[in-house]
Amino acid sequence: MISDQMRNTQATKTAVNRHGGMQQGSVTKYRAFPPIELPERQWPSRSITTAPTWCSVDLRDGNQALPIPMSVEEKLKLFDLLVSVGFKEIEVGFPSASQIEFDFIRRLVDENRIPDDVTVQVITQAREDLIRRTFESIQGMKKVIIHLYNSTSPAQRRLVFGLDKAGIIDIATRGTQLIKDLVPTIPETQVIFQYSPESFALTEIDFSLEICEAVVDIWQPTPEAKIILNLPETVQIATPNIYADQIEWFCRHMRHRESAIISLHTHNDRGTGVATTELGLMAGAERVEGTLFGNGERTGNVDIITVALNMYMQGINPLLNFGDIDAIRAVYEECTRMQVPVRHPYSGELVFTAFSGSHQDAIQKGMAAWDGAPDAVWEVPYLPIDPKDIGRTYEAIIRINSQSGKGGVAYVMENEFGFQLPKAMRVEFGKIINAIADVRGDELTPQQIYDAFEHEYLQRTSPFSLEAFHAEKAGASSPDEVVCRARVILNGELYELSGSGNGPIDAFVRALNQASLANFTVRSYTEHSLNHGSDARAVAYLQIETPSGRTFFGAAIATNIEQASIKAVLNAVNRVQATMG
């Protein structure tokens, strides 16, 4: 007989075969991108030491990727955010693509919304009608980058345009010449020209150089008035080192390199957009185009926040301020209707959170050791940067579920509520919290952890409760001895006790044991203040051991430390009684 599991497996295979599925055996459907011939490449031994020029393309590339494109008002709000973060170059749209794009750009100009130290960028394909419409949109700007592009890859040449290399070069050079001819029609505007061979990473490297140099020959840039050559990895097709080789090869072989700014524009199809950008900078690029949180077509553009904060955690000023990452994320999500994943680098809700017990313990110890001085080196395990630097708080660093350990529980109790649990008590309470989390099956909030602590250690009022306690020195004949008198209720019956010992706790324990109401010894005792001032309270932690060798902690809070310690004794004894009952 065929089992249900086998039937389901066969049905799945049939469905996969019917609808396609991955090629098995030798994969002939795809070809590896050929490596670049680059003897003695230099980029592997270089480091990033300074921030590049950043250009946000959120308002164009990011906007095009949205199921519901942003309205003019949403684009204005996002533009203001980008300015506040510190972007000095912002691509504001494709003015010939739609009326909304055009109207947005006109709002920026007509309402004088572009700061003097910010240069906006507009993009256009290499078509005459689109170029002329673009010039209409930028009338009155003080400074603008005009970004011209056309596609150059073999597949695009063959399948989309039906042109040879010469025909593709002609598209680029005619577009460049038209822009150059139109620049005098806007004499009040400083124009910077940017050209992109749009499918650079998929194009033969020598042809990419050929078409870019043809454009440079027409534009005639100088070291004082440079052209921007944007070399996109519009679709990722190889490992990041291949793109770095392409960039270094291009920079090595380009004529008039001193008159060009080499710019990167990487996507994330292979999930390596950040790595590709970083290696491209090591290979000689000086400028990066990208988006907040990596929003963009398909799997997205490079995430500028991640690249910038990667630099920051290496001790490099990224020249962008992400000091309130939560506010930035809120505006981004409002304007784009996209959500930042909880595990997104630096920005996600859970990236500064540790659930693992060993991680929690290491974080707690690292936080305790770091002195917080402005010049102190950050060395907290598992946290690559100080969350405070980007506006996050320490409160959510450690959160507790069934995977958590004693270190995380202790961290929450100390940082949220001020309790400095003794080491052995951390183990005991950690097991209690794990058991609760196992039953619940989800995360415990700090308040739930405190409630469990209060229930387990502070509110043990039966079978013992304390009605009165008084202790005093025994007298001159025994200066180190303390005598106590106590009134204790056990199961509703009042007992008057007395005892002596080397302190109030010892005297009280002896009184209980001598009255045969309990039988235990004290293993450890600690105390500390919970707050300061006239209403300061103290907390006492006490561990007892029964004749069988079992240990139990008790804790208590009071404005008088003596009262707290005596109540902690009874709370510990009550926990013993609870296990026996």
Side-chain angles (χ1 to χ4, degrees), residues 368-387:
W370 189 65
D371 64 12
D375 59 347
V377 176
W378 180 255
E379 287 185 309
V380 176
Y382 301 111
L383 298 182
I385 68 170
D386 184 347

Side-chain angles (χ1 to χ4, degrees), residues 213-521:
E213 290 193 328
V215 166
V216 168
D217 289 343
I218 291 174
W219 191 256
Q220 292 292 301
T222 67
E224 296 72 36
K226 297 183 179 183
I227 189 173
I228 300 172
L229 293 177
N230 191 53
L231 306 179
E233 189 184 41
T234 306
V235 179
Q236 287 194 320
I237 42 75
T239 50
N241 60 298
I242 298 294
Y243 184 65
D245 281 350
Q246 291 173 317
I247 297 298
E248 184 172 332
W249 189 98
F250 190 98
C251 291
R252 279 198 202 180
H253 291 83
M254 180 191 172
R255 293 184 284 113
H256 310 302
R257 173 67 179 88
E258 71 285 353
S259 297
I261 296 168
I262 302 302
S263 176
L264 308 176
H265 182 115
T266 65
H267 282 251
N268 204 38
D269 302 85
R270 290 170 53 93
T272 57
V274 168
T276 303
T277 295
E278 290 176 332
L279 297 192
L281 289 172
M282 291 162 59
E286 305 128 297
R287 182 176 184 268
V288 169
E289 292 187 350
T291 60
L292 301 178
F293 308 106
N295 182 40
E297 294 281 7
R298 304 181 312 281
T299 54
N301 294 68
V302 69
D303 176 11
I304 282 184
I305 295 176
T306 298
V307 179
L309 290 178
N310 282 355
M311 293 180 184
Y312 180 67
M313 61 93 67
Q314 294 291 313
I316 301 166
N317 185 347
L319 304 179
L320 294 174
N321 187 355
F322 298 112
D324 191 351
I325 199 71
D326 287 344
I328 293 168
R329 186 177 66 191
V331 173
Y332 163 82
E333 291 183 341
E334 176 188 348
C335 293
T336 65
R337 302 173 184 84
M338 303 288 284
Q339 298 294 313
V340 176
V342 296
R343 297 293 183 188
H344 197 92
Y346 301 106
S347 312
E349 180 185 351
L350 297 181
V351 295
F352 295 116
T353 300
F355 290 105
S356 162
S358 60
H359 289 201
Q360 292 169 346
D361 184 58
I363 290 171
Q364 181 197 12
K365 291 173 180 174
M367 296 286 286
W370 189 65
D371 64 12
D375 59 347
V377 176
W378 180 255
E379 287 185 309
V380 176
Y382 301 111
L383 298 182
I385 68 170
D386 184 347
K388 286 178 62 178
D389 288 352
I390 57 174
R392 303 290 288 271
T393 66
Y394 298 138
E395 296 172 3
I397 290 176
I398 293 179
R399 291 159 66 170
I400 306 301
N401 63 14
S402 61
Q403 309 274 321
S404 307
K406 63 183 187 300
V409 174
Y411 183 92
V412 169
M413 288 300 296
E414 180 170 356
N415 285 271
E416 295 282 348
F417 306 106
F419 289 86
Q420 301 167 17
L421 304 186
K423 188 173 183 180
M425 192 177 190
R426 297 175 189 179
V427 176
E428 183 181 278
F429 186 46
K431 292 178 180 177
I432 292 169
I433 290 299
N434 280 355
I436 294 172
D438 278 335
V439 172
R440 289 177 55 88
D442 59 6
E443 178 187 345
L444 299 181
T445 66
Q447 187 60 50
Q448 289 170 326
I449 294 168
Y450 176 79
D451 291 345
F453 180 83
E454 186 177 54
H455 172 76
E456 185 67 30
Y457 295 102
L458 304 180
Q459 294 182 343
R460 291 289 185 171
T461 58
S462 65
F464 285 95
S465 63
L466 182 68
E467 186 171 284
F469 178 84
H470 176 74
E472 59 185 22
K473 292 287 187 180
S477 60
S478 303
D480 296 329
E481 188 175 359
V482 171
V483 295
C484 78
R485 293 187 300 275
R487 292 164 60 88
V488 172
I489 297 175
L490 173 60
N491 295 323
E493 184 175 349
L494 178 64
Y495 292 85
E496 294 193 10
L497 309 176
S498 63
S500 63
N502 58 20
I505 296 174
D506 187 41
F508 182 61
V509 170
R510 287 174 182 269
L512 285 171
N513 287 335
Q514 289 167 2
S516 299
L517 299 182
N519 186 11
F520 64 93
T521 57

